[in-house]
Short mmCIF file of all heavy atoms in Angstrom, two decimals:
data_model
loop_
_atom_site.label_atom_id
_atom_site.label_comp_id
_atom_site.label_asym_id
_atom_site.label_seq_id
_atom_site.Cartn_x
_atom_site.Cartn_y
_atom_site.Cartn_z
N ALA I 1 5.42 11.72 17.84
CA ALA I 1 4.78 10.52 17.32
C ALA I 1 3.74 10.05 18.32
O ALA I 1 3.94 10.13 19.52
CB ALA I 1 5.81 9.43 17.08
N THR I 2 2.64 9.59 17.78
CA THR I 2 1.55 9.09 18.61
C THR I 2 1.14 7.73 18.11
O THR I 2 1.00 7.51 16.91
CB THR I 2 0.34 10.05 18.54
OG1 THR I 2 0.75 11.31 19.01
CG2 THR I 2 -0.81 9.54 19.35
N TYR I 3 0.92 6.80 19.01
CA TYR I 3 0.39 5.49 18.63
C TYR I 3 -1.12 5.58 18.68
O TYR I 3 -1.70 6.02 19.66
CB TYR I 3 0.87 4.40 19.58
CG TYR I 3 0.16 3.09 19.32
CD1 TYR I 3 0.50 2.31 18.23
CD2 TYR I 3 -0.88 2.67 20.14
CE1 TYR I 3 -0.17 1.13 17.96
CE2 TYR I 3 -1.56 1.49 19.88
CZ TYR I 3 -1.19 0.73 18.79
OH TYR I 3 -1.86 -0.43 18.52
N MET I 4 -1.75 5.19 17.59
CA MET I 4 -3.21 5.19 17.54
C MET I 4 -3.63 3.75 17.26
O MET I 4 -3.33 3.22 16.19
CB MET I 4 -3.69 6.13 16.44
CG MET I 4 -5.12 6.46 16.53
SD MET I 4 -5.43 7.29 18.08
CE MET I 4 -6.59 8.47 17.60
N GLY I 5 -4.29 3.13 18.20
CA GLY I 5 -4.73 1.76 18.05
C GLY I 5 -5.96 1.65 17.15
O GLY I 5 -6.52 2.65 16.71
N PRO I 6 -6.38 0.43 16.89
CA PRO I 6 -7.55 0.23 16.04
C PRO I 6 -8.84 0.59 16.76
O PRO I 6 -8.87 0.68 17.98
CB PRO I 6 -7.50 -1.27 15.75
CG PRO I 6 -6.78 -1.85 16.92
CD PRO I 6 -5.79 -0.81 17.36
N VAL I 7 -9.90 0.81 15.98
CA VAL I 7 -11.22 1.01 16.59
C VAL I 7 -11.71 -0.34 17.10
O VAL I 7 -11.14 -1.39 16.78
CB VAL I 7 -12.22 1.67 15.61
CG1 VAL I 7 -11.77 3.08 15.28
CG2 VAL I 7 -12.42 0.87 14.36
N ILE I 8 -12.76 -0.33 17.87
CA ILE I 8 -13.14 -1.49 18.67
C ILE I 8 -13.64 -2.71 17.88
O ILE I 8 -13.38 -3.83 18.25
CB ILE I 8 -14.15 -1.08 19.76
CG1 ILE I 8 -14.27 -2.18 20.80
CG2 ILE I 8 -15.48 -0.71 19.16
CD1 ILE I 8 -14.88 -1.72 22.10
N ASP I 9 -14.38 -2.48 16.78
CA ASP I 9 -14.94 -3.63 16.07
C ASP I 9 -15.24 -3.27 14.62
O ASP I 9 -15.04 -2.14 14.18
CB ASP I 9 -16.18 -4.17 16.76
CG ASP I 9 -17.31 -3.15 16.89
OD1 ASP I 9 -17.33 -2.15 16.15
OD2 ASP I 9 -18.18 -3.35 17.75
N ASP I 10 -15.74 -4.26 13.88
CA ASP I 10 -16.02 -4.10 12.46
C ASP I 10 -17.10 -3.03 12.21
O ASP I 10 -17.00 -2.26 11.27
CB ASP I 10 -16.46 -5.44 11.86
CG ASP I 10 -16.60 -5.39 10.35
OD1 ASP I 10 -15.61 -4.97 9.70
OD2 ASP I 10 -17.67 -5.75 9.84
N ALA I 11 -18.11 -2.98 13.07
CA ALA I 11 -19.18 -1.99 12.89
C ALA I 11 -18.62 -0.57 13.01
O ALA I 11 -18.94 0.30 12.19
CB ALA I 11 -20.29 -2.22 13.91
N ALA I 12 -17.77 -0.33 14.00
CA ALA I 12 -17.15 1.00 14.17
C ALA I 12 -16.23 1.31 12.99
O ALA I 12 -16.21 2.44 12.48
CB ALA I 12 -16.38 1.06 15.48
N TYR I 13 -15.48 0.32 12.55
CA TYR I 13 -14.58 0.50 11.42
C TYR I 13 -15.34 0.91 10.16
O TYR I 13 -15.00 1.88 9.50
CB TYR I 13 -13.80 -0.80 11.18
CG TYR I 13 -12.93 -0.78 9.96
CD1 TYR I 13 -11.70 -0.14 9.97
CD2 TYR I 13 -13.34 -1.41 8.79
CE1 TYR I 13 -10.90 -0.13 8.85
CE2 TYR I 13 -12.55 -1.40 7.66
CZ TYR I 13 -11.33 -0.76 7.69
OH TYR I 13 -10.53 -0.75 6.57
N LEU I 14 -16.40 0.17 9.84
CA LEU I 14 -17.19 0.48 8.64
C LEU I 14 -17.88 1.83 8.75
O LEU I 14 -17.94 2.59 7.77
CB LEU I 14 -18.22 -0.63 8.39
CG LEU I 14 -17.61 -1.98 7.98
CD1 LEU I 14 -18.70 -3.04 7.89
CD2 LEU I 14 -16.85 -1.85 6.68
N ARG I 15 -18.39 2.17 9.93
CA ARG I 15 -19.04 3.47 10.12
C ARG I 15 -18.05 4.60 9.87
O ARG I 15 -18.36 5.56 9.15
CB ARG I 15 -19.62 3.56 11.54
CG ARG I 15 -20.28 4.91 11.85
CD ARG I 15 -20.83 4.94 13.27
NE ARG I 15 -19.87 4.55 14.29
CZ ARG I 15 -18.92 5.36 14.79
NH1 ARG I 15 -18.80 6.59 14.34
NH2 ARG I 15 -18.09 4.94 15.72
N LEU I 16 -16.85 4.49 10.42
CA LEU I 16 -15.85 5.54 10.26
C LEU I 16 -15.31 5.59 8.83
O LEU I 16 -15.07 6.67 8.29
CB LEU I 16 -14.73 5.36 11.27
CG LEU I 16 -15.13 5.66 12.71
CD1 LEU I 16 -14.06 5.19 13.68
CD2 LEU I 16 -15.42 7.14 12.90
N LYS I 17 -15.11 4.44 8.19
CA LYS I 17 -14.65 4.43 6.79
C LYS I 17 -15.67 5.10 5.89
O LYS I 17 -15.32 5.89 5.01
CB LYS I 17 -14.39 3.00 6.32
CG LYS I 17 -13.17 2.35 6.89
CD LYS I 17 -11.89 3.00 6.45
CE LYS I 17 -11.49 2.54 5.08
NZ LYS I 17 -10.17 3.04 4.67
N ASN I 18 -16.96 4.81 6.09
CA ASN I 18 -18.02 5.44 5.30
C ASN I 18 -18.08 6.94 5.57
O ASN I 18 -18.29 7.74 4.65
CB ASN I 18 -19.37 4.79 5.58
CG ASN I 18 -19.45 3.39 5.02
OD1 ASN I 18 -18.75 3.04 4.07
ND2 ASN I 18 -20.28 2.56 5.63
N THR I 19 -17.90 7.33 6.82
CA THR I 19 -17.89 8.75 7.17
C THR I 19 -16.73 9.46 6.49
O THR I 19 -16.90 10.56 5.95
CB THR I 19 -17.81 8.93 8.70
OG1 THR I 19 -18.96 8.33 9.29
CG2 THR I 19 -17.74 10.40 9.08
N LEU I 20 -15.55 8.84 6.47
CA LEU I 20 -14.40 9.45 5.80
C LEU I 20 -14.64 9.62 4.30
O LEU I 20 -14.29 10.65 3.72
CB LEU I 20 -13.14 8.61 6.03
CG LEU I 20 -12.42 8.86 7.33
CD1 LEU I 20 -11.22 7.93 7.48
CD2 LEU I 20 -11.96 10.31 7.44
N GLN I 21 -15.25 8.64 3.66
CA GLN I 21 -15.57 8.77 2.24
C GLN I 21 -16.51 9.95 2.01
O GLN I 21 -16.34 10.73 1.07
CB GLN I 21 -16.19 7.48 1.71
CG GLN I 21 -15.21 6.35 1.58
CD GLN I 21 -15.89 5.07 1.12
OE1 GLN I 21 -17.11 4.97 1.05
NE2 GLN I 21 -15.07 4.08 0.80
N ARG I 22 -17.51 10.08 2.86
CA ARG I 22 -18.47 11.18 2.76
C ARG I 22 -17.77 12.53 2.96
O ARG I 22 -18.01 13.49 2.24
CB ARG I 22 -19.57 10.98 3.80
CG ARG I 22 -20.64 12.01 3.80
CD ARG I 22 -21.71 11.64 4.83
NE ARG I 22 -22.58 12.76 5.06
CZ ARG I 22 -23.38 12.87 6.09
NH1 ARG I 22 -23.41 11.92 7.01
NH2 ARG I 22 -24.16 13.92 6.24
N LEU I 23 -16.88 12.62 3.95
CA LEU I 23 -16.18 13.86 4.24
C LEU I 23 -15.22 14.24 3.10
O LEU I 23 -15.13 15.41 2.73
CB LEU I 23 -15.41 13.74 5.56
CG LEU I 23 -16.26 13.64 6.81
CD1 LEU I 23 -15.40 13.27 8.01
CD2 LEU I 23 -17.01 14.95 7.06
N LYS I 24 -14.54 13.27 2.55
CA LYS I 24 -13.61 13.54 1.44
C LYS I 24 -14.34 14.04 0.20
O LYS I 24 -13.77 14.79 -0.60
CB LYS I 24 -12.79 12.31 1.12
CG LYS I 24 -11.76 11.98 2.18
CD LYS I 24 -11.02 10.71 1.80
CE LYS I 24 -10.05 10.29 2.87
NZ LYS I 24 -9.35 9.06 2.52
N ALA I 25 -15.59 13.65 0.03
CA ALA I 25 -16.38 14.08 -1.11
C ALA I 25 -17.04 15.45 -0.88
O ALA I 25 -17.60 16.03 -1.82
CB ALA I 25 -17.45 13.04 -1.43
N ASP I 26 -16.97 15.96 0.33
CA ASP I 26 -17.62 17.23 0.69
C ASP I 26 -16.74 18.40 0.22
O ASP I 26 -15.66 18.63 0.76
CB ASP I 26 -17.81 17.29 2.20
CG ASP I 26 -18.64 18.46 2.66
OD1 ASP I 26 -18.64 19.51 1.99
OD2 ASP I 26 -19.28 18.33 3.72
N ALA I 27 -17.21 19.13 -0.76
CA ALA I 27 -16.44 20.24 -1.35
C ALA I 27 -16.26 21.42 -0.39
O ALA I 27 -15.42 22.29 -0.62
CB ALA I 27 -17.12 20.72 -2.62
N THR I 28 -17.02 21.46 0.69
CA THR I 28 -16.90 22.56 1.64
C THR I 28 -15.78 22.34 2.66
O THR I 28 -15.50 23.22 3.46
CB THR I 28 -18.22 22.81 2.40
OG1 THR I 28 -18.50 21.69 3.25
CG2 THR I 28 -19.37 23.04 1.43
N LEU I 29 -15.18 21.15 2.65
CA LEU I 29 -14.10 20.83 3.58
C LEU I 29 -12.77 20.77 2.85
O LEU I 29 -12.70 20.46 1.67
CB LEU I 29 -14.36 19.47 4.23
CG LEU I 29 -15.64 19.31 5.03
CD1 LEU I 29 -15.77 17.88 5.52
CD2 LEU I 29 -15.67 20.29 6.18
N GLU I 30 -11.69 21.04 3.59
CA GLU I 30 -10.35 20.90 3.06
C GLU I 30 -9.63 19.82 3.85
O GLU I 30 -9.52 19.91 5.08
CB GLU I 30 -9.59 22.22 3.18
CG GLU I 30 -8.17 22.14 2.68
CD GLU I 30 -7.39 23.42 2.90
OE1 GLU I 30 -7.96 24.41 3.38
OE2 GLU I 30 -6.19 23.41 2.60
N LEU I 31 -9.17 18.79 3.16
CA LEU I 31 -8.42 17.72 3.81
C LEU I 31 -7.01 18.24 4.07
O LEU I 31 -6.27 18.56 3.14
CB LEU I 31 -8.37 16.48 2.93
CG LEU I 31 -7.54 15.31 3.43
CD1 LEU I 31 -8.07 14.77 4.75
CD2 LEU I 31 -7.50 14.20 2.39
N LEU I 32 -6.63 18.34 5.34
CA LEU I 32 -5.32 18.86 5.71
C LEU I 32 -4.29 17.76 5.91
O LEU I 32 -3.10 17.96 5.65
CB LEU I 32 -5.43 19.69 6.99
CG LEU I 32 -6.31 20.93 6.93
CD1 LEU I 32 -6.38 21.59 8.30
CD2 LEU I 32 -5.82 21.90 5.88
N TYR I 33 -4.73 16.61 6.42
CA TYR I 33 -3.79 15.54 6.74
C TYR I 33 -4.52 14.21 6.83
O TYR I 33 -5.64 14.15 7.33
CB TYR I 33 -3.11 15.82 8.09
CG TYR I 33 -2.18 14.73 8.55
CD1 TYR I 33 -0.91 14.60 8.01
CD2 TYR I 33 -2.59 13.81 9.50
CE1 TYR I 33 -0.06 13.57 8.42
CE2 TYR I 33 -1.75 12.79 9.92
CZ TYR I 33 -0.49 12.68 9.38
OH TYR I 33 0.34 11.67 9.78
N GLU I 34 -3.84 13.17 6.35
CA GLU I 34 -4.34 11.80 6.52
C GLU I 34 -3.13 10.89 6.71
O GLU I 34 -2.24 10.85 5.86
CB GLU I 34 -5.17 11.36 5.32
CG GLU I 34 -5.77 9.99 5.50
CD GLU I 34 -6.70 9.60 4.37
OE1 GLU I 34 -6.63 10.20 3.29
OE2 GLU I 34 -7.48 8.68 4.58
N SER I 35 -3.09 10.18 7.82
CA SER I 35 -1.95 9.32 8.13
C SER I 35 -2.04 8.00 7.37
O SER I 35 -3.07 7.65 6.80
CB SER I 35 -1.89 9.04 9.64
OG SER I 35 -2.97 8.19 10.01
N MET I 36 -0.95 7.29 7.41
CA MET I 36 -0.91 5.92 6.88
C MET I 36 -1.38 4.98 7.99
O MET I 36 -1.20 5.29 9.17
CB MET I 36 0.51 5.56 6.46
CG MET I 36 1.09 6.48 5.39
SD MET I 36 0.22 6.39 3.82
CE MET I 36 0.63 4.76 3.28
N VAL I 37 -1.96 3.85 7.60
CA VAL I 37 -2.40 2.85 8.58
C VAL I 37 -2.02 1.46 8.07
O VAL I 37 -1.87 1.26 6.86
CB VAL I 37 -3.92 2.92 8.86
CG1 VAL I 37 -4.30 4.19 9.55
CG2 VAL I 37 -4.72 2.74 7.59
N PRO I 38 -1.91 0.49 8.98
CA PRO I 38 -1.66 -0.88 8.54
C PRO I 38 -2.80 -1.38 7.65
O PRO I 38 -3.95 -0.94 7.77
CB PRO I 38 -1.61 -1.68 9.85
CG PRO I 38 -1.33 -0.67 10.91
CD PRO I 38 -1.94 0.60 10.43
N SER I 39 -2.48 -2.30 6.77
CA SER I 39 -3.50 -2.83 5.85
C SER I 39 -4.37 -3.91 6.50
O SER I 39 -5.33 -4.37 5.90
CB SER I 39 -2.83 -3.39 4.60
OG SER I 39 -1.93 -4.41 4.95
N HIS I 40 -4.05 -4.31 7.71
CA HIS I 40 -4.84 -5.33 8.41
C HIS I 40 -5.39 -4.74 9.71
O HIS I 40 -4.82 -3.80 10.26
CB HIS I 40 -3.97 -6.54 8.72
CG HIS I 40 -2.85 -6.22 9.67
ND1 HIS I 40 -1.72 -5.54 9.26
CD2 HIS I 40 -2.71 -6.44 10.99
CE1 HIS I 40 -0.92 -5.36 10.31
NE2 HIS I 40 -1.50 -5.91 11.37
N GLY I 41 -6.51 -5.25 10.15
CA GLY I 41 -7.10 -4.77 11.40
C GLY I 41 -8.06 -3.62 11.17
O GLY I 41 -8.32 -3.20 10.05
N TYR I 42 -8.58 -3.10 12.26
CA TYR I 42 -9.60 -2.05 12.21
C TYR I 42 -8.99 -0.67 12.40
O TYR I 42 -9.44 0.12 13.22
CB TYR I 42 -10.66 -2.29 13.29
CG TYR I 42 -11.41 -3.60 13.15
CD1 TYR I 42 -11.61 -4.42 14.24
CD2 TYR I 42 -11.94 -3.99 11.94
CE1 TYR I 42 -12.31 -5.61 14.13
CE2 TYR I 42 -12.63 -5.18 11.81
CZ TYR I 42 -12.82 -5.98 12.91
OH TYR I 42 -13.52 -7.16 12.79
N PHE I 43 -7.95 -0.36 11.63
CA PHE I 43 -7.27 0.92 11.76
C PHE I 43 -7.90 1.98 10.86
O PHE I 43 -8.13 1.75 9.67
CB PHE I 43 -5.79 0.78 11.42
CG PHE I 43 -5.02 0.01 12.45
CD1 PHE I 43 -4.84 -1.35 12.32
CD2 PHE I 43 -4.47 0.66 13.54
CE1 PHE I 43 -4.13 -2.07 13.27
CE2 PHE I 43 -3.76 -0.04 14.51
CZ PHE I 43 -3.60 -1.41 14.37
N ILE I 44 -8.17 3.13 11.44
CA ILE I 44 -8.69 4.29 10.72
C ILE I 44 -7.58 5.34 10.73
O ILE I 44 -6.98 5.59 11.77
CB ILE I 44 -9.95 4.86 11.43
CG1 ILE I 44 -11.08 3.83 11.42
CG2 ILE I 44 -10.39 6.17 10.82
CD1 ILE I 44 -11.62 3.51 10.04
N PRO I 45 -7.29 5.96 9.58
CA PRO I 45 -6.22 6.95 9.57
C PRO I 45 -6.57 8.19 10.38
O PRO I 45 -7.73 8.61 10.41
CB PRO I 45 -6.06 7.29 8.09
CG PRO I 45 -7.37 6.95 7.47
CD PRO I 45 -7.91 5.80 8.27
N ILE I 46 -5.57 8.74 11.03
CA ILE I 46 -5.76 10.05 11.67
C ILE I 46 -6.00 11.03 10.53
O ILE I 46 -5.21 11.13 9.59
CB ILE I 46 -4.52 10.44 12.48
CG1 ILE I 46 -4.30 9.44 13.62
CG2 ILE I 46 -4.66 11.87 13.01
CD1 ILE I 46 -2.96 9.58 14.29
N THR I 47 -7.13 11.71 10.56
CA THR I 47 -7.52 12.57 9.45
C THR I 47 -7.95 13.92 10.01
O THR I 47 -8.73 13.99 10.97
CB THR I 47 -8.67 11.94 8.65
OG1 THR I 47 -8.33 10.57 8.37
CG2 THR I 47 -8.91 12.66 7.34
N ILE I 48 -7.45 14.99 9.39
CA ILE I 48 -7.75 16.35 9.84
C ILE I 48 -8.36 17.14 8.68
O ILE I 48 -7.80 17.17 7.58
CB ILE I 48 -6.48 17.06 10.35
CG1 ILE I 48 -5.84 16.25 11.48
CG2 ILE I 48 -6.81 18.48 10.81
CD1 ILE I 48 -4.48 16.75 11.91
N PHE I 49 -9.50 17.76 8.95
CA PHE I 49 -10.20 18.58 7.96
C PHE I 49 -10.31 20.01 8.46
O PHE I 49 -10.54 20.24 9.65
CB PHE I 49 -11.63 18.06 7.74
CG PHE I 49 -11.70 16.74 7.05
CD1 PHE I 49 -11.81 15.57 7.79
CD2 PHE I 49 -11.68 16.65 5.67
CE1 PHE I 49 -11.88 14.33 7.16
CE2 PHE I 49 -11.75 15.43 5.03
CZ PHE I 49 -11.85 14.27 5.78
N ALA I 50 -10.17 20.97 7.54
CA ALA I 50 -10.46 22.37 7.84
C ALA I 50 -11.93 22.59 7.50
O ALA I 50 -12.40 22.23 6.42
CB ALA I 50 -9.58 23.29 7.01
N VAL I 51 -12.65 23.20 8.43
CA VAL I 51 -14.09 23.45 8.28
C VAL I 51 -14.31 24.96 8.28
O VAL I 51 -13.80 25.67 9.15
CB VAL I 51 -14.86 22.80 9.45
CG1 VAL I 51 -16.35 23.03 9.32
CG2 VAL I 51 -14.56 21.31 9.52
N LYS I 52 -15.08 25.45 7.31
CA LYS I 52 -15.34 26.89 7.22
C LYS I 52 -16.62 27.32 7.94
O LYS I 52 -16.77 28.46 8.32
CB LYS I 52 -15.41 27.31 5.75
CG LYS I 52 -14.07 27.16 5.06
CD LYS I 52 -14.14 27.61 3.63
CE LYS I 52 -12.76 27.55 3.03
NZ LYS I 52 -12.60 26.63 1.98
N ASP I 53 -17.52 26.38 8.11
CA ASP I 53 -18.82 26.67 8.73
C ASP I 53 -18.91 25.99 10.09
O ASP I 53 -18.90 24.76 10.17
CB ASP I 53 -19.94 26.18 7.82
CG ASP I 53 -21.33 26.40 8.38
OD1 ASP I 53 -21.47 27.04 9.44
OD2 ASP I 53 -22.29 25.93 7.74
N PRO I 54 -19.01 26.75 11.18
CA PRO I 54 -19.09 26.12 12.50
C PRO I 54 -20.36 25.28 12.69
O PRO I 54 -20.44 24.49 13.63
CB PRO I 54 -19.05 27.31 13.47
CG PRO I 54 -19.57 28.45 12.68
CD PRO I 54 -19.13 28.21 11.26
N ASN I 55 -21.32 25.43 11.80
CA ASN I 55 -22.55 24.64 11.89
C ASN I 55 -22.51 23.38 11.03
O ASN I 55 -23.50 22.66 10.95
CB ASN I 55 -23.75 25.50 11.49
CG ASN I 55 -23.95 26.64 12.47
OD1 ASN I 55 -23.94 26.44 13.68
ND2 ASN I 55 -24.10 27.84 11.96
N HIS I 56 -21.38 23.13 10.38
CA HIS I 56 -21.23 21.92 9.58
C HIS I 56 -21.45 20.71 10.48
O HIS I 56 -21.04 20.70 11.65
CB HIS I 56 -19.83 21.89 8.95
CG HIS I 56 -19.65 20.81 7.93
ND1 HIS I 56 -19.43 19.50 8.26
CD2 HIS I 56 -19.67 20.86 6.58
CE1 HIS I 56 -19.31 18.78 7.18
NE2 HIS I 56 -19.45 19.60 6.12
N TRP I 57 -22.06 19.66 9.96
CA TRP I 57 -22.38 18.49 10.79
C TRP I 57 -21.14 17.88 11.43
O TRP I 57 -21.22 17.31 12.51
CB TRP I 57 -23.18 17.45 10.02
CG TRP I 57 -22.43 16.76 8.92
CD1 TRP I 57 -22.38 17.11 7.60
CD2 TRP I 57 -21.62 15.59 9.04
NE1 TRP I 57 -21.58 16.25 6.90
CE2 TRP I 57 -21.10 15.29 7.77
CE3 TRP I 57 -21.27 14.77 10.11
CZ2 TRP I 57 -20.26 14.22 7.52
CZ3 TRP I 57 -20.43 13.69 9.87
CH2 TRP I 57 -19.94 13.42 8.59
N LEU I 58 -19.98 18.02 10.78
CA LEU I 58 -18.75 17.48 11.37
C LEU I 58 -18.38 18.20 12.65
O LEU I 58 -17.84 17.60 13.57
CB LEU I 58 -17.59 17.58 10.35
CG LEU I 58 -16.23 17.04 10.80
CD1 LEU I 58 -16.33 15.57 11.23
CD2 LEU I 58 -15.22 17.21 9.69
N MET I 59 -18.72 19.47 12.75
CA MET I 59 -18.45 20.25 13.95
C MET I 59 -19.48 19.97 15.06
O MET I 59 -19.25 20.30 16.21
CB MET I 59 -18.47 21.75 13.63
CG MET I 59 -17.39 22.21 12.69
SD MET I 59 -15.77 22.14 13.44
CE MET I 59 -15.89 23.47 14.62
N GLN I 60 -20.59 19.39 14.70
CA GLN I 60 -21.69 19.20 15.64
C GLN I 60 -21.84 17.77 16.16
O GLN I 60 -22.70 17.50 16.99
CB GLN I 60 -23.01 19.62 14.97
CG GLN I 60 -23.00 21.04 14.42
CD GLN I 60 -22.81 22.08 15.50
OE1 GLN I 60 -23.36 21.95 16.58
NE2 GLN I 60 -22.03 23.10 15.21
N ASN I 61 -21.00 16.84 15.66
CA ASN I 61 -21.14 15.43 16.02
C ASN I 61 -19.82 14.85 16.52
O ASN I 61 -18.76 15.23 16.04
CB ASN I 61 -21.62 14.62 14.81
CG ASN I 61 -23.02 14.98 14.42
OD1 ASN I 61 -23.97 14.60 15.08
ND2 ASN I 61 -23.17 15.75 13.35
N GLU I 62 -19.92 13.92 17.42
CA GLU I 62 -18.75 13.20 17.92
C GLU I 62 -18.66 11.87 17.19
O GLU I 62 -19.62 11.10 17.17
CB GLU I 62 -18.88 12.98 19.43
CG GLU I 62 -17.62 12.53 20.07
CD GLU I 62 -17.67 12.60 21.59
OE1 GLU I 62 -18.73 12.93 22.15
OE2 GLU I 62 -16.65 12.31 22.20
N LEU I 63 -17.52 11.60 16.57
CA LEU I 63 -17.39 10.42 15.72
C LEU I 63 -16.75 9.24 16.41
O LEU I 63 -16.80 8.12 15.91
CB LEU I 63 -16.58 10.77 14.47
CG LEU I 63 -17.19 11.87 13.59
CD1 LEU I 63 -16.27 12.19 12.44
CD2 LEU I 63 -18.56 11.44 13.09
N PHE I 64 -16.11 9.41 17.55
CA PHE I 64 -15.44 8.34 18.29
C PHE I 64 -14.40 7.63 17.42
O PHE I 64 -14.34 6.41 17.36
CB PHE I 64 -16.46 7.34 18.87
CG PHE I 64 -17.38 7.96 19.85
CD1 PHE I 64 -18.68 8.31 19.49
CD2 PHE I 64 -16.96 8.24 21.14
CE1 PHE I 64 -19.53 8.91 20.40
CE2 PHE I 64 -17.81 8.84 22.05
CZ PHE I 64 -19.09 9.17 21.68
N GLY I 65 -13.61 8.43 16.73
CA GLY I 65 -12.51 7.95 15.91
C GLY I 65 -11.52 9.08 15.70
O GLY I 65 -11.77 10.22 16.09
N PRO I 66 -10.39 8.79 15.07
CA PRO I 66 -9.33 9.79 14.90
C PRO I 66 -9.58 10.76 13.75
O PRO I 66 -8.75 10.92 12.85
CB PRO I 66 -8.10 8.92 14.68
CG PRO I 66 -8.63 7.72 13.96
CD PRO I 66 -9.98 7.48 14.58
N ILE I 67 -10.74 11.39 13.76
CA ILE I 67 -11.11 12.36 12.74
C ILE I 67 -11.30 13.71 13.44
O ILE I 67 -12.10 13.82 14.36
CB ILE I 67 -12.40 11.93 12.00
CG1 ILE I 67 -12.19 10.56 11.34
CG2 ILE I 67 -12.80 12.98 10.98
CD1 ILE I 67 -13.45 9.93 10.81
N VAL I 68 -10.53 14.70 12.98
CA VAL I 68 -10.52 16.00 13.64
C VAL I 68 -11.02 17.07 12.69
O VAL I 68 -10.64 17.10 11.52
CB VAL I 68 -9.08 16.35 14.11
CG1 VAL I 68 -9.02 17.73 14.73
CG2 VAL I 68 -8.57 15.30 15.08
N ALA I 69 -11.85 17.97 13.21
CA ALA I 69 -12.32 19.14 12.46
C ALA I 69 -11.71 20.38 13.07
O ALA I 69 -11.79 20.58 14.28
CB ALA I 69 -13.84 19.21 12.52
N LEU I 70 -11.09 21.20 12.24
CA LEU I 70 -10.50 22.47 12.71
C LEU I 70 -11.28 23.63 12.12
O LEU I 70 -11.52 23.67 10.91
CB LEU I 70 -9.03 22.58 12.27
CG LEU I 70 -8.07 21.56 12.84
CD1 LEU I 70 -6.68 21.78 12.25
CD2 LEU I 70 -8.02 21.65 14.34
N TYR I 71 -11.64 24.54 12.97
CA TYR I 71 -12.36 25.75 12.55
C TYR I 71 -11.55 26.94 13.04
O TYR I 71 -11.22 27.02 14.23
CB TYR I 71 -13.77 25.77 13.12
CG TYR I 71 -14.50 27.06 12.87
CD1 TYR I 71 -15.01 27.34 11.61
CD2 TYR I 71 -14.67 28.00 13.89
CE1 TYR I 71 -15.67 28.53 11.38
CE2 TYR I 71 -15.35 29.18 13.65
CZ TYR I 71 -15.83 29.44 12.39
OH TYR I 71 -16.49 30.62 12.15
N GLN I 72 -11.24 27.87 12.15
CA GLN I 72 -10.48 29.05 12.54
C GLN I 72 -11.45 30.15 12.97
O GLN I 72 -12.20 30.68 12.17
CB GLN I 72 -9.62 29.55 11.39
CG GLN I 72 -8.76 30.73 11.79
CD GLN I 72 -7.79 31.12 10.67
OE1 GLN I 72 -7.66 30.46 9.68
NE2 GLN I 72 -7.13 32.24 10.87
N ALA I 73 -11.41 30.47 14.26
CA ALA I 73 -12.28 31.52 14.79
C ALA I 73 -11.64 32.87 14.55
O ALA I 73 -10.43 32.98 14.32
CB ALA I 73 -12.47 31.30 16.29
N LYS I 74 -12.45 33.90 14.58
CA LYS I 74 -11.93 35.26 14.39
C LYS I 74 -11.13 35.69 15.59
O LYS I 74 -11.34 35.29 16.68
CB LYS I 74 -13.08 36.23 14.17
CG LYS I 74 -13.80 35.97 12.87
CD LYS I 74 -14.94 36.93 12.68
CE LYS I 74 -15.66 36.59 11.40
NZ LYS I 74 -16.81 37.39 11.14
#
């Protein structure tokens, strides 16, 4: 078990929530896991995506939140 605290402020929360919506709508990604979070505060769920393309923007950017991209190398 891991404790994951909230993100720092409303701007970070909204940025990460919008990013998660965009990632969930991306047909090239597979959602592997999404944790539960409290309904109050700036909590973002721990979310893990499988990525098939190492050049996908999720693999190339740091999000500063509990969003993980996994790529299976040969």
Side-chain angles (χ1 to χ4, degrees):
T2 300
Y3 171 76
M4 195 62 142
V7 294
I8 194 162
D9 60 20
D10 188 53
Y13 174 79
L14 292 174
R15 178 180 52 80
L16 290 168
K17 288 294 279 186
N18 290 335
T19 299
L20 277 177
Q21 288 177 351
R22 181 177 167 197
L23 292 169
K24 289 178 184 179
D26 188 331
T28 67
L29 300 176
E30 178 184 356
L31 176 62
L32 298 176
Y33 176 79
E34 183 174 18
S35 71
M36 300 295 292
V37 293
S39 59
H40 64 284
Y42 299 133
F43 290 92
I44 297 294
I46 297 168
T47 312
I48 303 171
F49 291 95
V51 180
K52 294 182 175 116
D53 179 5
N55 296 313
H56 189 281
W57 69 267
L58 181 56
M59 295 291 290
Q60 304 298 321
N61 293 284
E62 193 168 4
L63 299 177
F64 298 101
I67 301 170
V68 177
L70 296 177
Y71 173 75
Q72 183 174 352
K74 293 180 183 177

